[in-house]
Amino acid sequence: MFSDIPYNLYLALSGILFTIGAIGAITRRNAIIVFMCIELMLNAVNLAFIASGKMLSSMDGTIFVFFIMTVAAVEAAVGLAIFVMVFRLKQTINVDEINLLKG
Amino acid sequence: MADYIWLIPVFPAIGFIINGLLGGKTSKTFVAWVACLAIFLSFLVSAAIFYEFLHLPPATRIFEKDIFDWITSGEFSVPIGFRIDALSIIMCLVVTGVGLLIHVYSAGYMHDDPGFPRYFTYLNLFVFMMLLLVTGNNLLLMFVGWEGVGLCSYLLIGFWYEKDSASNAGKKAFIVNRIGDYGFLLGILLLFVSLGSHGIWTLKFSEIQPNAHLLSASVVTVITLLFFAGATGKSAQIPLYVWLPDAMEGPTPVSSLIHAATMVTAGVYMIARLNFLYSMSPDTMFAVALIGALTAMFAASIGFAQYDIKRVLAYSTISQLGFMFVAVGVGAYATGIFHLMTHAFFKGLLFLGAGSVMHAMSGELDMRNMGGLRKKIPITYGTFFIACMAIAGIPGFSGFFSKDEILWKAFSSGYMLIWLIAAITAGMTAFYMFRLLFSTFHGHCRASEEVKHHIHESPKIMTIPLMILAFLSLVGGYVGVPHILGGENRFEKFLEPVFGPARHTASAASAGNFDIISKAWAGEGAAHSSSSLELNLMILSVVIAFIGIYLAYLFYIKKPDLPKQFVEKFSGFYHTVHNKYFVDEIYFTLFVRSLLGIGRFLLRVVDERIIDGIVNGTGYLMRGIGSIIRRIETGYVQGYAFGMILGAIIVVGYLILKPIM
């Protein structure tokens, strides 16, 4: 069944997911939602890797996915910790209210 | 012995290091002993070499030794090397001999000064540099000594730096010297380049001399004139003499050692050392002789109207240096060095005597407040009197032989104008020196009661050097008794290996071209070499000297009112002379003020506007650009993310579309 689906459709799904993630990351105000959107983008990339690996009969794509998932997990841990600290400081995690780096 | 000649300058250098490092922590006795011993050892080595010279045939009286290479570049190398020949050894003996006496004197004179160790440190450094100057075997090493003595002169003039006048005088001396040194340095470079264009890259005297004939006459004239510019600075000749009178702000023994006996004679030594170059350029020789003669007369006339005892001596030094330049200018190098030596004795003595007078008079320098010191400080008076006789040129004293020799050489070379100026100046010298002697030591005492009460003879440590120098002033001339008086002129003969046989007659022909008056005297020229003429001239100059002394006697002892009447009658002229012909004021207006103006322009316009403008402008530009670009930095994370995505889209879009387009 898996092999019935054409490769292009995997890539199209990956592209759609990535775009949804990117638009969400840019437009949403809540930092946690932004974070979830970034996870969505990462997983879109993972899907593209897996599909490519399958098509090319190579394990390389799968290995990449393992690394990306590990990094994503680490990122989630660190990112959430940062949000906690930011919330303590600013009483909000709305990204449009956090502009300490304004030049 | 040649292997040990470097010891001469090294001893004072060791003394300098010991006193410089330990002087502040040890006793004054230790400092004085170290300093004097260093000079004494140098003197011993010099004397040993001199003794050895006397036992060598004249042609082999030259020791040269390179210690190590200092600068090497391709074919060119400058060694740290020393050269002792008849000329250097005489300079070494004068510097270390007179230097030693002045060191000993200083130990007494400076005893209560808190800067005692510093004083002796500088003094030893000075002797080291001076010996480097006279023993270096190349121009560059000579230049190091040349600059070194200038530095020491600056340090010692400004020794009492807490006094404004002293520190200003030090700066003036240094700056005026630098002007001359610039000429000297240019001369060295021009000589180096001109010889180099013939493939001879060297600065060693022993290599320049045999190759000097390669240089064209005009180049040699420029080189020697540039060197002479250096000499006018160091040896206080017109137009750069202005620093020497101000240099009297330093301690008196310093004036004696540096500004009378040794350093100021460096210019004369330099010309004598480079005699082979000077002899190639009659134009320069004439310029040297003329400047010397003019300086001699000019400075002597200023000496008439000064009341500061040290300033009279300073102008006298300038005047006597002028005599030396007359001698070397007419080609009588040995005579110039002869006068340099006798002058070191009697002028060193005069300054030390002045120091002794100051010591007695509680630091008083104005002759108007002195008088009648003859009985109170008899040793100072006696030695001072001998020195005055010597400088005035009274027969039998050292100055007579050397000064008369100069006059004769000038006359017999055909430089009539210069001879005339020098002969008149000799009379003027006798006048102002005896004016000084009479108003200081004779008549009644014009000092205040308090000062009068303190007048006392100086301690032995000061009077013994005075007596030794007096002895030398008395007999120093007998090494150069001319043939006409039955002598052998051994001094000139000793220097013959350096200067060659007396050359003054050779330049006689060329002299006539420049000297209008000499043409008028051409008829007399035929009788040049006749010995009766020499004798007559000698008698004439003695008569002139006695007239000078008699006038001084008339003015300052017999009729003390005469000077006052004279001043009233010629008040304008007197005022001009008393103020040193306003030369300092003229220089100040012409050079100092215009340089200050240029400096102010450079500061206000070039530095503050242009340079600062460029630097600040760069800053302002960056700030302007920044104020525009900072608007991109909104601080919103999503804005940055959008930028990244946009960039990624552009890059990816470009890569996708590139194959299509």
Side-chain angles (χ1 to χ4, degrees):
Chain A
M1 177 202 124
F2 189 79
S3 54
D4 295 343
I5 303 165
Y7 175 60
N8 284 346
L9 287 184
Y10 286 107
L11 284 190
L13 178 62
S14 167
I16 290 163
L17 284 174
F18 188 87
T19 313
I20 291 169
I23 292 169
I26 293 169
T27 53
R28 296 308 294 256
R29 296 167 65 203
N30 191 320
I32 295 187
I33 308 281
V34 171
F35 211 71
M36 286 161 70
C37 291
I38 292 171
E39 293 296 321
L40 193 60
M41 286 159 75
L42 289 170
N43 282 319
V45 174
N46 282 351
L47 179 60
F49 270 124
I50 294 284
S52 308
K54 175 72 187 165
M55 190 198 74
L56 297 170
S57 312
S58 158
M59 285 302 285
D60 293 0
T62 319
I63 291 167
F64 263 109
V65 170
F66 275 119
F67 277 105
I68 291 170
M69 287 175 81
T70 317
V71 170
V74 172
E75 184 207 343
V78 173
L80 287 171
I82 290 172
F83 291 146
V84 172
M85 299 312 288
V86 169
F87 187 78
R88 277 189 196 161
L89 191 70
K90 304 280 286 187
Q91 313 303 325
T92 176
I93 50 167
N94 282 354
V95 284
D96 58 348
E97 287 170 45
I98 306 166
N99 57 352
L100 287 172
L101 281 177
K102 185 174 178 1
Chain B
M1 203 64 204
D3 288 339
Y4 302 104
I5 55 177
W6 53 272
L7 282 173
I8 296 178
V10 159
F11 284 124
I14 294 171
F16 159 67
I17 291 165
I18 293 177
N19 273 344
L21 294 178
L22 304 174
K25 297 181 188 74
T26 51
S27 69
K28 286 182 175 179
T29 324
F30 175 79
V31 169
W33 270 102
V34 167
C36 295
L37 199 66
I39 311 299
F40 180 65
L41 289 173
S42 280
F43 178 70
L44 275 190
V45 177
S46 310
I49 293 174
F50 179 70
Y51 182 76
E52 198 173 342
F53 267 3
L54 292 179
H55 291 84
L56 284 172
T60 58
R61 284 174 187 168
I62 177 162
F63 293 150
E64 190 156 2
K65 176 139 178 94
D66 289 348
I67 308 296
F68 58 88
D69 277 339
W70 177 21
I71 300 168
T72 313
S73 170
E75 284 176 55
F76 168 67
S77 81
V78 178
I80 297 283
F82 300 99
R83 168 197 171 107
I84 303 277
D85 57 12
L87 175 60
S88 317
I89 196 67
I90 285 171
M91 291 301 292
C92 284
L93 284 172
V94 169
V95 171
T96 54
V98 176
L100 175 64
L101 294 173
I102 291 169
H103 270 69
V104 172
Y105 177 95
S106 298
Y109 187 84
M110 298 296 286
H111 195 263
D112 300 324
D113 197 287
F116 193 82
R118 187 163 57 93
Y119 175 83
F120 276 99
T121 309
Y122 291 163
L123 218 55
N124 267 5
L125 180 65
F126 166 77
V127 175
F128 165 61
M129 286 298 179
M130 189 70 203
L131 290 171
L132 210 58
L133 197 164
V134 298
T135 57
N137 74 345
N138 59 67
L139 274 169
L140 219 51
L141 201 56
M142 187 183 186
F143 189 68
V144 171
W146 188 272
E147 291 295 317
V149 292
L151 169 72
C152 295
S153 164
Y154 160 76
L155 291 172
L156 284 162
I157 294 169
F159 183 73
W160 291 310
Y161 53 82
E162 65 277 10
K163 258 197 332 189
D164 252 4
S165 57
S167 67
N168 283 341
K171 281 183 265 181
K172 184 174 177 184
F174 197 69
I175 290 167
V176 174
N177 263 300
R178 293 296 311 153
I179 297 169
D181 294 347
Y182 184 61
F184 189 37
L185 193 59
L186 284 182
I188 294 176
L189 291 173
L190 183 58
L191 177 67
F192 178 66
V193 171
S194 329
L195 274 180
S197 67
H198 295 282
I200 296 145
W201 298 103
T202 185
L203 285 171
K204 278 171 86 166
F205 298 124
S206 55
E207 288 165 16
I208 295 170
Q209 187 160 10
N211 294 311
H213 63 92
L214 294 171
L215 302 169
S216 70
S218 54
V219 170
V220 170
T221 303
V222 176
I223 291 172
T224 48
L225 280 176
L226 285 170
F227 281 150
F228 182 53
T232 57
K234 191 72 54 195
S235 295
Q237 297 295 294
I238 290 172
L240 297 179
Y241 71 91
V242 287
W243 65 270
L244 188 58
D246 287 25
M248 298 303 129
E249 289 289 343
T252 311
V254 167
S255 310
S256 176
L257 178 63
I258 300 184
H259 306 116
T262 54
M263 184 191 84
V264 287
T265 60
V268 181
Y269 165 78
M270 189 261 290
I271 293 181
R273 168 59 72 213
L274 298 171
N275 66 80
F276 51 90
L277 283 178
Y278 277 86
S279 296
M280 285 167 70
S281 172
D283 296 8
T284 309
M285 295 287 274
F286 181 68
V288 172
L290 189 66
I291 296 242
L294 289 178
T295 308
M297 188 172 222
F298 185 73
S301 71
I302 298 176
F304 281 9
Q306 298 299 314
Y307 292 106
D308 182 321
I309 184 166
K310 281 180 76 183
R311 271 177 198 261
V312 174
L313 291 175
Y315 282 107
S316 161
T317 303
I318 298 172
S319 174
Q320 294 299 309
L321 288 164
F323 271 100
M324 295 175 211
F325 278 101
V326 168
V328 293
V330 301
Y333 304 106
T335 314
I337 299 296
F338 186 28
H339 195 58
L340 186 162
M341 185 184 82
T342 58
H343 176 255
F345 297 152
F346 58 67
K347 189 52 67 59
L349 172 56
L350 283 170
F351 269 111
L352 294 187
S356 182
V357 169
M358 279 170 71
H359 189 83
M361 298 288 289
S362 320
E364 180 63 58
L365 276 167
D366 196 324
M367 287 194 284
R368 284 171 292 196
N369 300 330
M370 295 182 183
L373 298 177
R374 182 168 41 137
K375 299 245 171 62
K376 288 171 179 140
I377 44 175
I379 301 174
T380 308
Y381 170 69
T383 52
F384 209 88
F385 181 74
I386 290 172
C388 280
M389 296 290 266
I391 192 173
I394 303 303
F397 292 85
S398 61
F400 165 73
F401 296 105
S402 53
K403 185 186 282 181
D404 219 67
E405 189 84 357
I406 291 174
L407 291 176
W408 168 242
K409 290 280 162 70
F411 186 86
S412 64
S413 307
Y415 292 100
M416 292 305 152
L417 174 65
I418 284 165
W419 171 80
L420 198 66
I421 297 174
I424 294 170
T425 308
M428 290 162 78
T429 310
F431 176 78
Y432 71 69
M433 283 319 300
F434 276 83
R435 166 179 179 263
L436 176 63
L437 184 80
F438 291 149
S439 42
T440 308
F441 292 99
H442 291 255
H444 62 279
C445 190
R446 293 177 293 276
S448 65
E449 285 303 320
E450 202 188 320
V451 173
K452 228 185 238 178
H453 187 69
H454 282 294
I455 295 176
H456 58 285
E457 184 62 279
S458 303
K460 276 212 175 69
I461 194 166
M462 285 162 72
T463 51
I464 288 172
L466 286 179
M467 287 187 269
I468 298 172
L469 278 172
F471 174 73
L472 288 170
S473 305
L474 202 56
V475 304
Y478 289 96
V479 296
V481 179
H483 299 283
I484 187 81
L485 293 177
E488 295 169 353
N489 216 342
R490 271 176 303 204
F491 193 83
E492 197 174 302
K493 216 172 258 171
F494 180 70
L495 283 169
E496 225 166 62
V498 184
F499 302 130
R503 250 190 299 233
H504 57 275
T505 42
S507 58
S510 59
N513 300 333
F514 309 102
D515 195 341
I516 302 159
I517 292 185
S518 76
K519 275 183 186 157
W521 285 59
E524 206 99 357
H528 272 175
S529 52
S530 85
S531 59
S532 68
L533 185 63
E534 187 176 350
L535 208 59
N536 287 339
L537 283 175
M538 201 173 270
I539 292 164
L540 179 65
S541 74
V542 172
V543 169
I544 291 173
F546 274 112
I547 291 173
I549 295 173
Y550 175 70
L551 283 176
Y553 174 73
L554 198 68
F555 269 55
Y556 294 96
I557 292 197
K558 201 101 179 281
K559 297 178 182 165
D561 295 334
L562 222 54
K564 272 185 206 132
Q565 292 170 14
F566 186 81
V567 166
E568 276 161 24
K569 215 168 179 183
F570 301 98
S571 63
F573 179 66
Y574 172 79
H575 190 63
T576 312
V577 176
H578 179 65
N579 287 300
K580 303 157 255 169
Y581 296 101
F582 298 105
V583 170
D584 275 336
E585 285 75 10
I586 293 167
Y587 279 7
F588 188 80
T589 322
L590 276 184
F591 302 115
V592 178
R593 195 162 290 165
S594 60
L595 279 174
L596 281 176
I598 294 171
R600 202 164 291 130
F601 169 78
L602 289 174
L603 171 68
R604 297 268 178 260
V605 178
V606 176
D607 192 52
E608 288 185 359
R609 295 269 158 79
I610 298 176
I611 307 271
D612 286 4
I614 291 170
V615 173
N616 288 339
T618 313
Y620 286 132
L621 185 70
M622 291 306 155
R623 216 151 84 183
I625 294 170
S627 71
I628 296 165
I629 294 183
R630 70 193 290 187
R631 286 179 198 173
I632 298 169
E633 301 288 316
T634 53
Y636 294 114
V637 179
Q638 288 170 320
Y640 301 145
F642 180 71
M644 281 162 71
I645 288 171
L646 201 66
I649 288 169
I650 291 169
V651 171
V652 171
Y654 173 75
L655 288 173
I656 291 170
L657 293 178
K658 202 173 105 176
I660 305 167
M661 286 188 334

